[in-house]
Amino acid sequence: MASSGAPQPPPPDPREVKLSSAVLTLLEHQHLLGETIDDTISKEAFTTYLDLLDGGKLFLLQSDRDQLARYSDKIDDELHSGRLDLAHEGQRIYMERVAEVDKMVADLLAQPMNHDDEEYVELDPKKLQAATTDDELKDRWRKRLELEVMERVDGMEQRLAHAGSGAGSGSAAGSNHDVDTSIPLAEIPATPEGREAKARAEVEKSYAARFKRYREPGPLDAASQLINAVTSTLDPHTDYLPPMDKANFDIQISGSLEGIGATLRERDDYIEVSDLVPGGAAWRQGKLASGDLILGVQDPGKDAVDIADMRLDDVVQLIRGPKGTVVRLRVRKPDGHEEQIAITRDVINIEESYARGAIIQRKNGALYGYIHLPSFYGGSNTPRKASIDIRRILGELDSKHVTGIILDIRENGGGLLRDAVDLTGEFIDKGPVVQVRDHAGDVDIMKDEQSGELTTAPMIVLVDQFSASASEILAGALQDYRRAVIVGSSATHGKGTVQALVDLDRDSDKPELGVLKITIQQFFRPSGASTQLVGVTPDILLPNLTSYIKSSERTLDHAIPFMKIAEAPHDTWKVTYDVTKLARDSAERVKRNAIFTKITETADLLAKRRDDTKIPLQHAAWEAQQKKEKDELEAVAPDLEKTPASLTVKVLEDPLAGQPVPTPGRTDDRMQRWQDHLARDPWVDECVSILNEMK
């Protein structure tokens, strides 16, 4: 391995000199925190750099890490000089280790594996120390490979059992997993030994392709890794994106492209689904979800590609494809189980990303208005704007004489700031909506300047942990004005910062440096409290089915802290109800609600599993664990689709919506499914109970 006699790094790339200078200046003078990049930040960045280089602890030995440690307090000096020696030496050592591990993995998979030993594999790298010897590293790989081979063999055996049972779809009787019916029966060997050999060959082929990709880094990859180690010490939303990543900023595998319609991000060694584009192919198909880890991608007629540790933009290119073609994703759900999900690529039907209204009612009960807002959309390139659509829906609801309104912004990740201000203004008379503070401490107050509100009906804003950014501005302002009761399954996401995209090539004729996404401002509510980190806490809390998913700002390293500034004077709504009593009465109803009981039990079960990352490698023990987990989940999980409808729903027509494109052999029942889901939604049903008390 590397030694003091190792070859010296090449002269600095002129692009890296310019890049380092530009990024350093922006971070120190434009970032919200205004911190100097010094030795203290260097030491924090070094730890992050090692995680970016080998977060899974599957390549570098402790001696490699020790060798790189001499740079731990020199990263700031390297940025000032433009000579990124740590980046290039780290890349060189890593690639040497990749070559060694490549041979190691091939040797391990060349022989049959023992699935009878009583041992375990730890899948959480945070619970592991770096290996100290080649033998220790090889044993770590042996255990991971044994698990992967066992899982593939099990998939083949489940497929055989499924075919033998004569089942048309779904799971075979007594199976532990959903059956992957895409596995061709003719390709499955008849003997256990043959299936094990086939599984080893598939895993070896997958890793060989992966290691080949690792040995072909992009021209600015080394610099990008080091710079992002520095930016992440300031906050989790400041990132450097080299030119080839610029087009995939906040990647949506769809939009104007043909794909599946998902937003992806890197998480440890994997690619995680951070959000689904409303109206996209994955959103309509219904099986892919936020928090899923994508493990593999396969096009029909081609070999599956294992994408662990793959570059984000490479994964995007694998998943994108022509409309009408099918892509298969192998994903790991947050509870640990894996699924094969087939999605037909398509162009996003943008109509489904727009606000939607409905009249909801219990039997012989009062009429209530329901508005679903998936995002704050608008801008010069779209024919519609969220605040204008909501104004139209509110007019229709008012004509129906509804006695209360539910504004549902669950899973609304935000959007246009100005539209959030305009929409909030529809519910209040006038006054401040949000305060924005920059790195210099200057505060700008964005106000609703127009007197009057469109409705005076009692109002609930329904939120969850995925309601973020502009959603939090709306919910926070309406809570401060006491205009609405905030109801939700948790505090909102807690992202109260603003990022700007700075073009580092603005003085150049050709793109060679890329862009810096940098946090420049922070949001504050009219009360002066920030939405950052803490989000908006609901006045009334309901059970949270996804509480086991760590997805909020509070879970991110180096998140900017909560703070307060001066209140922006504002009036408050004169209400006739007692929010404390509403919350107490709601809690009593929730206790008596069998569905909410199951939701709580399911969330508790999945939370307990989240940290159980040691997997048995003895086949009988592994199989027993899989069956036990499946049986436990089936015993408590509610089947909301089979729950009797508690509400009648009449969807309001959207005069601006286009007609769905007819698809031969397929009925477009998305609106009917949305209506059926709303009629059975226990959270919306509880909102109706709360509105009944707010009259």
Side-chain angles (χ1 to χ4, degrees), residues 89-397:
E89 185 166 355
Q91 186 181 74
R92 179 182 60 79
I93 292 174
Y94 177 77
M95 291 176 67
E96 288 178 2
R97 282 296 181 191
V98 168
E100 294 175 9
V101 169
D102 190 358
K103 183 177 183 305
M104 188 184 294
V105 167
D107 291 343
L108 287 167
L109 290 169
Q111 301 295 326
M113 293 184 154
N114 184 355
H115 300 293
D116 296 324
D117 289 346
E118 187 176 342
E119 56 181 349
Y120 295 82
V121 59
E122 175 58 69
L123 296 181
D124 186 352
K126 294 182 176 63
K127 298 177 182 178
L128 298 171
Q129 299 297 319
T132 57
T133 65
D134 287 335
D135 287 343
E136 184 182 351
L137 187 64
K138 184 174 183 178
D139 192 60
R140 183 169 296 178
W141 272 100
R142 175 188 64 79
K143 291 179 179 180
R144 292 180 70 95
L145 295 171
E146 283 189 13
L147 178 61
E148 291 189 39
V149 169
M150 187 162 56
E151 289 174 336
R152 286 183 183 247
V153 170
D154 182 72
M156 286 186 266
E157 292 177 346
Q158 293 288 345
R159 179 71 175 101
L160 290 172
H162 178 268
S165 70
S169 62
S171 300
S175 71
N176 299 331
H177 319 284
D178 290 334
V179 175
D180 179 11
T181 56
S182 69
I183 301 175
L185 285 171
E187 296 180 10
I188 300 177
T191 66
E193 295 79 10
R195 291 191 285 273
E196 201 263 358
K198 177 178 172 59
R200 283 188 287 110
E202 290 175 345
V203 172
E204 197 281 328
K205 183 177 181 180
S206 174
Y207 274 109
R210 184 194 305 186
F211 296 145
K212 181 178 183 294
R213 294 192 297 270
Y214 293 173
R215 294 194 292 269
E216 299 172 351
L220 283 177
D221 279 5
S224 174
Q225 211 164 40
L226 184 60
I227 288 172
N228 278 324
V230 175
T231 63
S232 65
T233 64
L234 301 181
D235 81 284
H237 304 294
T238 296
D239 301 290
Y240 164 63
L241 293 86
M244 65 187 306
D245 292 342
K246 184 177 180 181
N248 294 322
F249 168 62
D250 195 20
I251 295 174
Q252 293 184 344
I253 311 174
S254 208
S256 61
L257 297 171
E258 295 174 342
I260 67 169
T263 303
L264 304 183
R265 63 186 173 200
E266 294 181 1
R267 189 185 124 190
D268 298 328
D269 298 333
Y270 298 102
I271 300 299
E272 182 181 48
V273 178
S274 62
D275 200 5
L276 299 182
V277 180
W283 186 86
R284 298 195 305 270
Q285 193 258 10
K287 291 186 178 180
L288 196 68
S290 299
D292 289 353
L293 297 181
I294 299 178
L295 307 180
V297 180
Q298 182 180 21
D299 267 319
K302 297 182 180 179
D303 291 333
V305 178
D306 191 320
I307 60 105
D309 290 318
M310 187 184 286
R311 299 166 57 90
L312 184 57
D313 58 314
D314 290 339
V315 176
V316 172
Q317 295 305 317
L318 284 173
I319 296 177
R320 284 176 177 161
K323 175 181 177 180
T325 60
V326 176
V327 62
R328 294 187 182 278
L329 304 181
R330 181 166 62 91
V331 305
R332 179 179 297 153
K333 293 291 184 177
D335 65 1
H337 83 277
E338 294 186 9
E339 291 184 8
Q340 291 279 351
I341 299 176
I343 302 173
T344 302
R345 299 178 176 108
D346 201 354
V347 176
I348 290 178
N349 182 352
I350 193 63
E351 304 299 336
E352 294 183 2
S353 67
Y354 296 148
R356 184 178 294 161
I359 302 290
I360 59 177
Q361 181 184 26
R362 287 197 184 133
K363 187 175 182 180
N364 300 322
L367 297 178
Y368 292 105
Y370 171 84
I371 304 172
H372 174 242
L373 182 64
S375 68
F376 291 83
Y377 50 87
S380 58
N381 295 323
T382 177
R384 300 179 66 164
K385 186 178 178 184
S387 58
I388 294 176
D389 283 350
I390 296 295
R391 190 178 302 143
R392 173 185 55 79
I393 294 172
L394 285 172
E396 289 193 54
L397 294 177

Side-chain angles (χ1 to χ4, degrees), residues 7-17 20 49 53 68 70-71 78 82-96 217-226:
Q8 292 298 308
D13 185 326
R15 290 177 301 174
E16 293 181 358
V17 176
S20 300
Y49 173 72
L53 193 63
L68 295 173
R70 70 181 187 275
Y71 295 101
E78 293 195 355
R83 187 182 184 96
L84 308 182
D85 290 345
L86 170 57
H88 293 288
E89 185 166 355
Q91 186 181 74
R92 179 182 60 79
I93 292 174
Y94 177 77
M95 291 176 67
E96 288 178 2
L220 283 177
D221 279 5
S224 174
Q225 211 164 40
L226 184 60

Side-chain angles (χ1 to χ4, degrees), residues 26-27 30-31 237-238 498-500 502 516-520:
L26 287 167
L27 293 181
Q30 298 298 322
H31 190 275
H237 304 294
T238 296
V498 187
Q499 286 72 43
V502 181
L516 183 71
K517 178 164 66 75
I518 180 171
T519 298
I520 58 169

Side-chain angles (χ1 to χ4, degrees), residues 356-485:
R356 184 178 294 161
I359 302 290
I360 59 177
Q361 181 184 26
R362 287 197 184 133
K363 187 175 182 180
N364 300 322
L367 297 178
Y368 292 105
Y370 171 84
I371 304 172
H372 174 242
L373 182 64
S375 68
F376 291 83
Y377 50 87
S380 58
N381 295 323
T382 177
R384 300 179 66 164
K385 186 178 178 184
S387 58
I388 294 176
D389 283 350
I390 296 295
R391 190 178 302 143
R392 173 185 55 79
I393 294 172
L394 285 172
E396 289 193 54
L397 294 177
D398 186 58
S399 70
K400 303 294 184 184
H401 306 292
V402 298
T403 56
I405 292 171
I406 301 168
L407 177 59
D408 188 347
I409 55 172
R410 289 176 294 178
E411 299 191 27
N412 183 325
L416 296 178
L417 172 60
R418 184 67 252 177
D419 213 48
V421 174
D422 291 344
L423 180 53
T424 304
E426 305 294 3
F427 301 107
I428 63 174
D429 183 12
K430 63 179 180 178
V433 173
V434 63
Q435 305 186 74
V436 185
R437 182 178 183 272
D438 64 17
H439 69 283
D442 296 329
V443 177
D444 178 38
I445 301 177
M446 302 182 72
K447 301 179 179 180
D448 168 38
E449 305 282 5
Q450 202 165 15
S451 297
E453 55 279 317
L454 283 183
T455 178
T456 59
M459 183 177 177
I460 283 175
V461 177
L462 184 56
V463 302
D464 64 10
Q465 70 200 77
F466 306 109
S467 304
S469 194
S471 293
E472 297 174 287
I473 291 172
L474 170 72
L478 294 182
Q479 190 177 55
D480 286 350
Y481 277 83
R482 299 181 65 192
R483 174 61 187 93
V485 174

Side-chain angles (χ1 to χ4, degrees), residues 658-672:
Q659 294 301 313
V661 178
T663 303
R666 188 179 70 185
T667 302
D668 190 342
D669 61 349
R670 286 170 287 173
M671 186 60 71
Q672 185 61 52

